[in-house]
Amino acid sequence: MNSTDESRHPFLKGLSKHRGAPPTVVVIFGASGDLTARKLVPAIFNLGVDNLLPGEFHLIGYSRSEIPDEEFRSAMDQAIEEHSRRPLNKEIWERVRQHTTYHAGGYGDPESFARLAEKINKIEADLGRDVQRLFYISTPPSVFEPIIRNLGACGLAEAHLNTKLASKVIIEKPFGKDLESARHLNKTINSVFEESQVYRIDHYLGKETVQDLLVQRFANAIFEPIWNREYVDCVQITVAESLGVGSRGGYYDTSGALRDMIQNHTMQLVALTAMEPPVSLDPESIRDEKVKVVKAIQPLELKAEGGDVVRARYANGLVNGQPVKGYMEESGIPEDSSTETYAALRLSINNWRWKGVPFYIRSGKRMARRASEIAIQFKRPPGILFSEGNKFDVASNTMVVSIQPDEGVTLVMNSKIPGLETRTQPVKMHFRYATTFGSNTPEAYERLILDAMVGDSTLFIRGDETEASWKLITPILEHWKACGSHGLEEYAAGSWGPLASERLLWEKGHQWRRSG
């Protein structure tokens, strides 16, 4: 890898370290589920294509259903053909396929875990060398606890502890549903695993543009000196989906936008945008700064109407020109539901860098388009020049980090319109990943699974960070529960959310930017 390639890497770590992944057995709990087929196995296949899997690699699928080994392998073949970013290469996949097996058992059944431990110990004995155990929990949160406790009871959690081959566990969100449950989950995890063995995964942190945010900030001298309250007017973070709840209505109604998107994905973007420079690129140094900034967010003002929070649900409307039904008409939604499909928050960070700079965050379903972005809006120059009537169209300089669907960075500047008189208009300078680096970039899960195998926890969430985030969010949930449907707004499907969310910005002299 040359220096140019290395400079593109968000944490300046070359592939040479990744190629040193130790012999590993990966066990996927929930192997018959959708995530395994759509993301996890295609990610493992693509790591194989890139020669980033260890020479001794075994994959075990664990689920309740009785599935013969060959049937499971065939299902994974099909998953790669349907969902991989690259076509199935049978020669490369065969190296993993021949070491892929299936293990049926209940998540609360100690005997099934004892048999799993025997299977892994036999793999290790046959290889004649120690192997790392990597457990990926891709199940409903209701079975997180029995899986973790059984991994401890059968001895798998403590295998090769205090060595580079110590067992690791990857846990998919949600990490609790409020502060109390998050603390309980962390207590359960830490009763079995050391925190250094735990990898709480949020796939947003595996996206190239999210990782690139730190490079944009700390590797470019033109940005970091003005990334503060002296120059930044406000920060807007949008995570919008055009899809509705679909067939997940029953599940979604127990969650809502605040739990489903704001507490995890969106708060991660806040932390990376607002964090102080870490003292090094060491994973713990970066995670320390993320926790500090989340803890610095002030408690929100909560009112049935007004305050720092707005919630709403979508009504019928048009999305991409097609009529769609409202949330209350979706399958599985109770008649007395007060669940929000949209949430917007106005955050205040009480530290030296950001005092007085509002952070506006929003997330919703059935919005105008799918778009996830971070917009840093800078203060306008003094209104001395270029302020004469409507002759000069001068916009705030804005840096927009686009996370999806088109990864890249846009800088909004003001420029003179060609002509004999001086007139201005805003223009955009675009950088797109697909244009510069090609469109076939690695999927987020590829990066995250690889990092877990080599023991790099940079892009994973620490237990104290989940609790700090829930400490901010839980009072909102409790307030909404007490209010019932009072204060729950509506917005037309295909719009950018309720009018009430504009108030959050109007009160501070801002307005939502048009995303996308």
Side-chain angles (χ1 to χ4, degrees), residues 146-425:
I147 291 173
I148 291 164
R149 292 198 182 282
N150 276 318
L151 287 173
C154 72
L156 285 171
E158 61 183 18
H160 310 306
L161 195 60
N162 301 319
T163 75
K164 291 183 178 180
L165 293 174
S167 296
K168 301 181 178 75
V169 60
I170 301 176
I171 304 174
E172 278 280 347
K173 75 173 185 72
F175 314 117
K177 60 180 182 179
D178 53 24
L179 180 57
E180 182 181 357
S181 59
R183 284 174 172 165
H184 177 77
L185 178 60
N186 281 340
K187 185 177 180 180
T188 299
I189 293 169
N190 293 138
S191 70
V192 175
F193 291 93
E194 301 289 336
E195 182 64 29
S196 60
Q197 297 175 271
V198 183
Y199 293 73
R200 296 171 187 82
I201 194 168
D202 184 334
H203 73 273
Y204 255 54
L205 293 181
K207 292 181 179 291
E208 288 290 346
T209 330
V210 174
Q211 299 168 47
D212 191 46
L213 181 59
L214 295 190
V215 176
Q216 295 297 330
R217 286 189 59 185
F218 303 130
N220 294 293
I222 62 173
F223 293 130
E224 184 56 23
I226 59 173
W227 206 271
N228 56 55
R229 60 188 168 85
E230 297 296 332
Y231 297 95
V232 176
D233 195 24
C234 70
V235 176
Q236 298 183 25
I237 299 177
T238 296
V239 180
E241 300 175 283
S242 59
L243 296 176
V245 296
S247 60
R248 297 173 64 237
Y251 161 77
Y252 188 87
D253 199 69
T254 65
S255 175
L258 195 67
R259 284 189 174 103
D260 191 46
M261 297 297 284
I262 296 285
Q263 186 275 330
N264 39 73
H265 300 330
T266 315
M267 289 302 297
Q268 288 299 310
L269 302 183
V270 171
L272 289 171
T273 303
M275 63 183 275
E276 292 296 314
V279 296
S280 74
L281 294 175
D282 175 77
E284 292 311 306
S285 295
I286 293 171
R287 301 205 296 180
D288 284 345
E289 297 304 332
K290 289 172 61 188
V291 173
K292 286 179 187 177
V293 80
V294 174
K295 288 183 175 180
I297 299 174
Q298 296 299 285
L300 282 75
E301 183 182 13
L302 303 175
K303 300 178 180 179
E305 296 178 2
D308 293 325
V309 182
V310 170
R311 59 173 174 154
R313 64 186 175 206
Y314 62 84
N316 56 20
L318 295 175
V319 176
N320 297 323
Q322 299 297 316
V324 297
K325 56 190 175 184
Y327 179 72
M328 296 302 293
E329 300 166 10
E330 300 278 16
S331 175
I333 306 302
E335 291 182 3
D336 60 348
S337 172
S338 59
T339 298
E340 81 289 351
T341 63
Y342 174 99
L345 282 61
R346 180 174 59 205
L347 306 180
S348 299
I349 300 175
N350 189 28
N351 64 15
W352 186 268
R353 181 182 292 265
W354 296 114
K355 181 70 173 179
V357 178
F359 278 63
Y360 305 108
I361 63 177
R362 61 177 173 174
S363 180
K365 289 189 172 294
R366 283 292 187 217
M367 296 183 72
R369 64 175 63 90
R370 176 174 176 252
S372 294
E373 66 173 38
I374 303 163
I376 312 298
Q377 182 174 307
F378 295 96
K379 293 181 177 179
R380 291 176 178 268
I384 300 172
L385 303 174
F386 309 111
S387 59
E388 179 185 326
N390 61 0
K391 184 177 180 181
F392 301 111
D393 181 5
V394 178
S396 297
N397 296 136
T398 305
M399 179 180 176
V400 182
V401 179
S402 300
I403 299 163
Q404 63 182 20
D406 299 315
E407 294 184 307
V409 180
T410 299
L411 191 60
V412 178
M413 305 172 63
N414 297 297
S415 181
K416 178 185 177 296
I417 300 173
L420 299 180
E421 61 175 325
T422 302
R423 300 180 68 85
T424 66
Q425 77 172 38

